[in-house]
Each structure stands twice: as C-alpha cells, then as structure tokens.
Amino acid sequence: MKNTFLSFLIIITSTLYIKAQTRVGSPFTDHMVLQQNEEVNLWGWDTPATKLTVKGSWGESVKTIVDQSGKWKVTLKTPEGSYTNYQITIKGTSTIKLSDVLFGEVWLCSGQSNMQMPLQGYYGQPVIGSREMIASSNQKNYIRLYQVKRAFNGVVQDTLSGKWTEADPSTVRAFSAVAYSFGKKLAENLNVPIGLIHSSQGGSKAEAWMSESMYRELSDDEIVYEGINQKKAIKTPTLYYNAMIHPLVGYTIRGAIWYQGEANRSTNATQKYSKVQSTLINGWRTLWNQGDFPFYFVEIAPFGYNGKDNVEAAELRAEQYLTTELVKNTAMVSTADLGDLKYIHPSQKVEVGNRLANIALSKDYGIEGLDYLSPIYKSSTVKGNYVSVQFDDAPTGITTYSKELKGFELAGEDGKFYPAKGKFKKYRLSVFSDSVANPKYIRYAFKNYHEGNLFSVNGLPVIPFNKEIDKKVE
C-alpha cells in the first residue's frame, strides 16, 4: 500500500512539475531560422495566468499572459536577414533560452516519396550530383534544416518530433534532395540564411495532408481510424496532417514547395486532382493566415506504372497544371524530360530543386532574366494533314536540339491516335501523320511514360498536352 501511495505521489508531483514548466512549440529550437522582416509567431505552454516575457537579443521584447488553457502566443518583429547569431529568451514560470537563431527565408517542403528521397538516394536508386552536393555542404552556407519525424495520428497533435540542425555532410545526406537543392540555390543567390522545414511521407495521398475540415470540402465519407497501420495510413485522410503539419501551423514561412501526385494517380481522384490540390493549398493558406503565400509544385515524372502507354498518369499531370490556373500564386515545375521507365523516383532531383528555386527567385525575390516557365500549348491550326502548333512561355522559340521529334500523336474524328512526325520551318513546328488524313485531335507526351524531346530554347521541357485542334484552314 505504501509503495502504491508513493508511486501515486510521484506521478502527481511529476505532472505538476511538467505543467509548471515554460514550454515552446516544437518548431522553436536552437539553430532555427525565423522569417526576416516579419511579425513572426512564437507559442508554447505554461501555467495559466502566468506573466510571460519573450525577448530577442536584437532589441525586440513582448509580454503576454498565459490563457486559462495553459497556452501562450506572441508575435515578435524580426530584423533583416543576416548571418548574425541571435538569442531569444522566454521567461515564465521557468526560463528558456534559444541560441544560434538566424533570420532569413523559411520554406515548408512536403509531399510523398519524391520529396522525401534523400540526397544520398534510396537503395539502388541514385541522385545525380549528390556526391558534390554533399561535399559542398561543408562550406559555411548558412542553410538550416528541420526534419519532421514521420508519424501519423487520428487525433490532431500540438507537438511533433523534430529539431533544427546546421547543414553539413552529416545532415544533408539524409535530408530531402529536392528541398536541399532548392534551398542551396536560394542561399547562393539571396545571401541570407535559408530555413527548410521538411515534412513528407512516401506513398501518401494528398488527402492525408489535409485537416478534416479541408477533406470535408471534397467528401462526406466516414474516415476510419481503427486498425490503422502505415500501409493504410498513407491512404487515409487527415492522418499526416494531424501529426506532421498541424504542429507547424503558424510558424511564419515565406512559402511552400510540394512534390506529390503519384499516390492519387490510380484512384477516382485522378479526374479531380486539381480540386484536391486546390483544396489543400487554400486550406493551408487559411490555417497559416499569411495570405496567398507562394505554393510551387512538381509535375509527376514519366514512369511505366501499369503499362507505359496508358494515360492515367498523363491525365493527372494535366490536372496538376490546371491547378496553376485555378489557384493564384502557384506554379508547376515540369519533369517531362526527367522521367525513368523503371524507377518511380527519377534521379535528377537536384535539377528539380533548381527549377523550383528559379521560380521563387523570379516571382518572389525579383531576380530578373531567369527562365523559369516551361512552354505550354497555346493553339493549333490544321491545313490538309499538317498541324501547326503554337506555344506560350517560349519567347525565343522551341527546339529538339537537332534531334528527331518524339512524343506527338494525331487523331481524326474516331479519336484513335497515331504517331506523328514533325518538322520546323523558320523555327515554327508542324506535325503530321500519314495515318491521319484529317486531324482533329493533337497530343504530346500524353502517356504514363514518354520520351518527348521538345524544349524551349532556354532548355525547359514543353508541358504535355491533349487538345482538340483549334482551327482548320482551307
């Protein structure tokens, strides 16, 4: 009986001790990067009614009182980005000191396995250029990494497992290759610290990264949480949002990058992926309450899937691009030239990160002269059996780099497509097929796996398309 009573007292005493301690939210650790020139959010927990002070070593200070639920939240004005190390002191029932704090640009990086793929690659699946990227991270480039530990939960969580670390060979090799490449290019061009928060899970559907209220915009179906293991979790709405996104909501960011879609390819969501992705983007923006922050994403790459000549992946890519027309301040990186027939994780992750960075550098940081948009179908005209095709976002024209054109197909009234050849006349493209006398439909690289080789002169791939021909010339 004495032992039982003693154990009870220890538990009660420990609980009171924990509750009496000042705590901060999971994203706030030593070595963190806070968004520069902003009113950033900081939050945590303490004893209700406690007077609490948050003070930055750069001269900013704010006071608050812990609410009755034990939560506190403040905003703190941050200075211009620099490589100066600062400290933040939080004084409540106890004192917390956060050291080696930098100010710069902060981006959230999320998605499924192609975002998760580390710089060192997966087993038997390399990342081209990783060796040099890892080696060069030993230089003082002031990139900081926050790796969210993968987890899922049927209940919304307030905390998660993660911490900020400095970028060096020991940390970047296991960090997202796309995210790190993106951040490295930003750091080289902006000359301020870059903070990368990486939260992704291989095989996960987009719906798994939505809050329940967001998911309810898409479906009234019951969400079953019982008996969930990881194999089921990746397909279950809200589970990864609850555990890996919600505890980050409010951490002030500049924007987000997203690489996901493969898991939605073979479901009934394929035809409405633009709605799914739009719901996620708008939902995250509402939760963060930072307006329409930039959201840039990656087209799923060519891959064999369940038959390379099938088109379900091509249809999803078209839905991905449609998102850019439905939701403002978004853009898509095309990977039409970076696929692999046998591997769903293509090796050109550094190039993907660089393309994402070029979008941000151009749209968000005002660096002029960068080519960052892939050409997109504009219109087509048919005369006889020749179809002339025009493109937007190709100011200096298109090219195959003197190679035979691949990837075009034409169809007549029956909708049956046949391979087409192409020719350039004064740098204008015309395509034709001896099997289609009266073309009505034209498509390019519109298969699960393709080897399309049409580019803008600046080297960005033409985005795949499937269109009815616009005009017939007699």
Side-chain angles (χ1 to χ4, degrees):
M1 179 67 72
K2 282 186 177 181
N3 289 338
T4 301
F5 183 71
L6 181 60
S7 298
F8 177 75
L9 283 179
I10 291 173
I11 291 171
I12 293 296
T13 304
S14 299
T15 302
L16 290 173
Y17 177 77
I18 291 170
K19 286 187 176 180
Q21 297 302 297
T22 305
R23 293 186 294 147
V24 293
S26 301
F28 306 108
T29 76
D30 294 343
H31 314 301
M32 67 181 173
V33 179
L34 293 176
Q35 182 63 37
Q36 65 174 330
N37 294 323
E38 272 285 358
E39 295 276 349
V40 302
N41 299 312
L42 290 93
W43 66 87
W45 299 268
D46 208 333
T47 304
T50 298
K51 294 180 180 180
L52 186 138
T53 301
V54 180
K55 184 176 182 180
S57 62
W58 61 99
E60 292 292 325
S61 181
V62 63
K63 296 181 178 180
T64 190
I65 297 176
V66 181
D67 69 21
Q68 292 305 304
S69 69
K71 295 180 180 179
W72 60 267
K73 183 178 181 180
V74 299
T75 58
L76 202 61
K77 186 173 179 56
T78 61
E80 185 174 351
S82 73
Y83 302 123
T84 302
N85 302 106
Y86 293 98
Q87 294 78 43
I88 297 176
T89 302
I90 301 104
K91 288 186 177 180
T93 56
S94 58
T95 299
I96 294 175
K97 291 186 178 181
L98 301 174
S99 301
D100 190 25
V101 177
L102 296 177
F103 298 108
E105 294 297 299
V106 182
W107 287 79
L108 174 63
C109 317
S110 187
Q112 60 178 108
S113 58
N114 271 305
M115 179 62 82
Q116 180 183 320
M117 189 175 190
L119 195 55
Q120 65 188 357
Y122 291 134
Y123 187 82
Q125 299 177 64
V127 171
I128 293 175
S130 63
R131 182 164 52 88
E132 288 305 315
M133 291 286 284
I134 292 170
S136 66
S137 70
N138 204 38
Q139 302 167 6
K140 199 71 174 177
N141 53 18
Y142 293 96
I143 298 174
R144 301 288 172 85
L145 314 174
Y146 189 92
Q147 175 64 61
V148 175
K149 184 177 180 180
R150 284 182 281 281
F152 58 88
N153 206 299
V155 178
V156 171
Q157 301 295 296
D158 288 328
T159 62
L160 49 72
S161 179
K163 65 178 181 178
W164 286 94
T165 60
E166 295 182 87
D168 61 37
S170 68
T171 58
V172 304
R173 64 184 301 108
F175 196 76
S176 163
V178 168
Y180 180 70
S181 302
F182 169 80
K184 187 173 187 293
K185 188 158 191 177
L186 293 189
E188 291 169 348
N189 282 271
L190 300 177
N191 297 314
V192 295
I194 302 296
L196 301 171
I197 302 172
H198 174 229
S199 181
S200 66
Q201 171 61 57
S204 56
K205 295 180 63 174
E207 293 88 341
W209 298 96
M210 296 180 180
S211 67
E212 184 172 358
S213 63
M214 292 161 59
Y215 180 66
R216 290 299 169 217
E217 296 181 33
L218 301 172
S219 175
D220 294 325
D221 293 346
E222 181 184 2
I223 305 173
V224 179
Y225 294 130
E226 295 181 5
I228 290 293
N229 54 26
Q230 182 168 315
K231 187 175 180 180
K232 295 179 180 179
I234 58 177
K235 301 177 183 179
T236 304
T238 78
L239 291 188
Y240 288 100
Y241 168 82
N242 290 344
M244 296 177 66
I245 294 295
H246 183 79
L248 301 171
V249 170
Y251 191 94
T252 308
I253 59 175
R254 181 59 183 258
I257 57 174
W258 173 256
Y259 196 163
Q260 193 278 337
E262 295 89 348
N264 286 78
R265 171 192 54 84
S266 57
T267 69
N268 59 9
T270 297
Q271 298 303 323
K272 60 174 184 177
Y273 187 78
S274 58
K275 174 63 175 176
V276 173
Q277 188 166 239
S278 297
T279 300
L280 184 142
I281 297 169
N282 291 327
W284 282 14
R285 285 173 172 174
T286 297
L287 289 167
W288 253 267
N289 194 29
Q290 285 187 224
D292 297 321
F293 61 72
F295 192 102
Y296 306 135
F297 57 92
V298 184
E299 175 187 54
I300 63 171
F303 172 66
Y305 292 108
N306 300 319
K308 66 177 184 178
D309 292 328
N310 293 334
V311 298
E312 68 268 23
E315 290 170 345
L316 188 131
R317 293 181 195 113
E319 285 284 306
Q320 286 183 298
Y321 182 76
L322 182 58
T323 305
T324 67
E325 299 178 345
L326 296 175
V327 185
K328 60 184 176 182
N329 208 17
T330 61
M332 184 184 82
V333 163
S334 178
T335 56
D337 59 327
L338 303 180
D340 192 302
L341 177 61
K342 296 182 179 180
Y343 295 109
I344 198 170
H345 306 117
S347 58
Q348 292 278 15
K349 291 291 182 289
V350 174
E351 176 62 20
V352 172
N354 286 339
R355 290 180 186 182
L356 284 164
N358 280 342
I359 295 175
L361 290 170
S362 298
K363 290 173 62 67
D364 303 301
Y365 300 111
I367 296 180
E368 298 181 357
L370 295 179
D371 297 308
Y372 66 94
L373 291 176
S374 278
I376 187 69
Y377 172 93
K378 179 181 180 181
S379 63
S380 57
T381 303
V382 62
K383 184 175 183 179
N385 68 337
Y386 280 83
V387 182
S388 177
V389 192
Q390 292 78 44
F391 298 91
D392 279 329
D393 300 321
T396 53
I398 53 175
T399 181
T400 60
Y401 295 100
S402 299
K403 296 181 180 179
E404 182 180 353
L405 182 68
K406 296 180 180 180
F408 271 93
E409 296 175 290
L410 294 174
E413 287 281 353
D414 60 1
K416 186 175 181 180
F417 281 93
Y418 296 89
K421 297 179 180 180
K423 66 177 184 178
F424 289 91
K425 185 176 182 180
K426 294 183 179 180
Y427 304 106
R428 293 182 179 272
L429 175 64
S430 291
V431 298
F432 65 96
S433 174
D434 293 334
S435 301
V436 183
N438 297 296
K440 186 174 181 180
Y441 303 99
I442 182 171
R443 68 186 189 185
Y444 169 71
F446 207 79
K447 292 182 178 180
N448 287 349
Y449 177 77
H450 62 80
E451 295 181 348
N453 62 345
L454 190 60
F455 298 84
S456 61
V457 169
N458 56 41
L460 292 174
V462 169
I463 294 174
F465 61 86
N466 183 15
K467 299 289 184 179
E468 182 175 353
I469 294 169
D470 297 288
K471 183 179 180 181
K472 184 174 183 179
V473 178
E474 299 298 336

